[in-house]
Amino acid sequence: MKPLLQSLLVMAWMVEARDPYSGGHLWRVSQYCRLLAESLGLNKYEVARITLGGFLHDLGKISVPDSILKKPGRLNDDEYETIMNHPEIGARILIGHPLASLVKNAILHHHERPDGAGYPFGLDEGNLSIDSRIVSICDAFDAMTSTRPYRHSLPLDQALKDIKLNLHTQFDGNFGHLFIELAHSGRMNTILGHTDQGIPIQNCLTCGPTIVVRRSQKSGELTYCPNCAAEAIIEKNNSRISIHPTGRKGSVKSLQPKVDMDLIGEYVATSAAALVIA
């Protein structure tokens, strides 16, 4: 099972790396999913399965052109229609994969809504799986609280207010209330704005929060903004991480995405242990 899990996670990581403003999105969504699933009292198998679905939910975005993923303004109707295809494409990518059944609902239905106004199938509340209900909230919350090319991130209170206003329409009412309670409790503070446990996303002076520092990187190593290629030096001082711009730009080679195998290895180990319970 471990090689199969690793292959899926690496694939999802590379899809995310195409969008310079989505660094850490999959990790954050999966961690919000884990926290919400645990708070619902689900068993370890279900928690691991839904956490994995949170990490893989955007797999279908591999089919979305860069011109749409990186567009600095609002999408037109045709571009939005292209985006709306990604849940079905993600599910098709996994056809025949031995682990597909574990995450299919999270991938295929995470943009469905209780009021039936979601996509791709317009499912209503009575036809939504627990996976889709959880991932939908966590995905939307992270999108709201993350910077995008066309807008700044929303403050935590505003994002939670938006979720509350859309309970029973866009979001599951019961799960949404619990999610809001978890956020107010402070249990999400180590996830919000982070790209790994204890590692906040770092700010490029030009582009904003775009730079992901991997746990394996050490003080003195170089890192780069995936959007503008600005170079910076990493400084790790005990639990504090910061970067310092050099004023230089990275080469094409230095900007190639690097998979965080330490983070993925941890996922594989914990997920595999829980998933063999079933």
Side-chain angles (χ1 to χ4, degrees):
M1 176 177 283
K2 288 184 178 181
L4 292 172
L5 280 172
Q6 181 172 295
S7 67
L8 287 177
L9 294 169
V10 168
M11 189 188 311
W13 185 279
M14 295 305 293
V15 172
E16 178 179 82
R18 295 177 57 222
D19 183 350
Y21 281 89
S22 66
H25 173 65
L26 300 184
W27 179 81
R28 289 189 297 273
V29 171
S30 68
Q31 293 305 298
Y32 293 137
C33 287
R34 174 189 57 78
L35 190 59
L36 184 52
E38 288 175 344
S39 298
L40 288 165
L42 302 181
N43 62 43
K44 290 183 179 180
Y45 172 80
E46 288 296 298
V47 171
R49 189 177 62 77
I50 293 169
T51 301
L52 182 63
F55 201 97
L56 299 174
H57 73 279
D58 271 344
L59 201 57
K61 283 189 175 178
I62 193 172
S63 67
V64 180
D66 286 349
S67 60
I68 296 178
L69 278 180
K70 301 177 183 180
K71 186 175 180 178
R74 292 192 174 276
L75 302 180
N76 62 38
D77 290 345
D78 289 340
E79 291 166 336
Y80 188 63
E81 186 175 351
T82 299
I83 286 286
M84 289 173 65
N85 287 327
H86 81 268
E88 290 182 277
I89 292 171
R92 286 203 295 271
I93 288 172
L94 290 183
I95 288 176
H97 193 285
L99 302 182
S101 62
L102 295 176
V103 295
K104 180 180 178 180
N105 286 335
I107 292 173
L108 191 55
H109 299 152
H110 68 277
H111 283 293
E112 300 287 357
R113 299 166 43 129
D115 62 4
Y119 63 86
F121 304 117
L123 301 178
D124 60 18
E125 186 170 16
N127 293 295
L128 296 180
S129 66
I130 189 171
D131 313 50
S132 60
R133 294 166 190 250
I134 290 176
V135 177
S136 173
I137 296 169
C138 299
D139 181 35
F141 175 76
D142 189 65
M144 286 188 278
T145 54
S146 299
T147 294
R148 292 291 183 262
Y150 50 89
R151 62 154 174 80
H152 291 294
S153 60
L154 293 181
L156 174 61
D157 288 344
Q158 182 61 55
L160 296 177
K161 181 180 178 180
D162 286 356
I163 289 178
K164 186 174 182 179
L165 288 173
N166 289 284
L167 294 179
H168 305 290
T169 53
Q170 183 177 356
F171 307 116
D172 180 275
N174 294 328
F175 293 1
H177 276 299
L178 179 56
F179 187 90
I180 292 169
E181 291 175 5
L182 288 169
H184 283 312
S185 74
R187 294 178 65 188
M188 296 181 179
N189 292 352
T190 58
I191 305 171
L192 182 66
H194 288 64
T195 58
D196 193 355
Q197 193 65 42
I199 304 181
I201 193 166
Q202 300 295 308
N203 281 284
C204 168
L205 292 180
T206 302
C207 305
T210 61
I211 300 177
V212 175
V213 175
R214 301 186 306 279
R215 63 174 73 173
S216 61
Q217 290 180 290
K218 298 178 173 57
S219 289
E221 288 190 32
L222 297 174
T223 188
Y224 301 91
C225 172
N227 191 53
C228 73
E231 182 183 80
I233 298 175
I234 298 170
E235 180 181 339
K236 290 187 174 181
N237 184 6
N238 295 323
S239 60
R240 184 174 179 273
I241 298 173
S242 59
I243 60 171
H244 306 282
T246 66
R248 299 187 296 264
K249 296 283 187 179
S251 64
V252 172
K253 184 176 181 179
S254 65
L255 293 173
Q256 292 178 353
K258 298 176 179 62
V259 178
D260 192 336
M261 294 307 299
D262 291 320
L263 182 148
I264 287 177
E266 181 180 282
Y267 257 96
V268 169
T270 56
S271 297
L275 292 173
V276 296
I277 294 174

